[in-house]
Structures are given as C-alpha cells and as structure tokens.
Amino acid sequence: MQQIRIFCEVFDRAGYAEAARCLGTTPPALWSQVRLLERRYGVALFRKVGRRVASTPEAEQLREAFRPLLAGLASTFDLVGPSASELPRT
C-alpha cells in the first residue's frame, strides 16, 4: 500500500521532490519505491522531463485503477476514527 501511495503522490505532483516534501521523506526514498513498483508491473511509470517527471500511459491506467481503492481505504478511517472510541461498551 505504501508503494501505491507513493506512486500516486509522485503522479499527482509530477515530481519526486514535491511528493517527498508532502510525505515527509526524501526523493531517493520515493524513487526506490517507484522502481520496485515498476519492476513488479514490468513497465516504466515515469520518464524524466527536466526537473519533473511525466507519466507514461501505463502510469495513467494504474492511477485510474488505484483511485477507487485509495478512496475506499480513506473511508475506513471514519469507521475506526476518534468517534469509534465513543461507542457504548456492552
């Protein structure tokens, strides 16, 4: 899941540096995780364009496939968030 989240941040921000700032890590750490994802899928996900990256068609397909998955995961925080501790004990 972490690789998917990293991939989506790099995709949405079109670069490793900005994604790293948002995630509180370093660009090389993100790059290595994206490389693992690329190896897993057997395709290049980004290509360098100056100081930014451009997504490949395969990356665009993956981002669309990941969108509902990530939305579903985000909604689980509503199930077990702070209000869940306020439920009555039985």
Side-chain angles (χ1 to χ4, degrees), residues 21-83:
R21 277 191 295 279
C22 290
L23 295 173
T25 189
T26 64
L30 299 186
W31 182 84
S32 66
Q33 291 300 306
V34 170
R35 289 291 298 144
L36 290 171
L37 203 57
E38 287 177 328
R39 284 190 205 124
R40 178 114 176 136
Y41 282 100
V43 297
L45 297 172
F46 301 104
R47 58 183 172 79
K48 192 155 175 61
V49 178
R51 302 187 109 196
R52 315 263 314 151
V53 294
S55 56
T56 63
E58 293 84 1
E60 292 174 22
Q61 289 176 324
L62 276 179
R63 182 62 179 109
E64 284 306 308
F66 290 154
R67 201 174 298 276
L69 174 66
L70 293 174
L73 284 173
S75 70
T76 63
F77 288 97
D78 295 335
L79 298 174
V80 294
S83 62

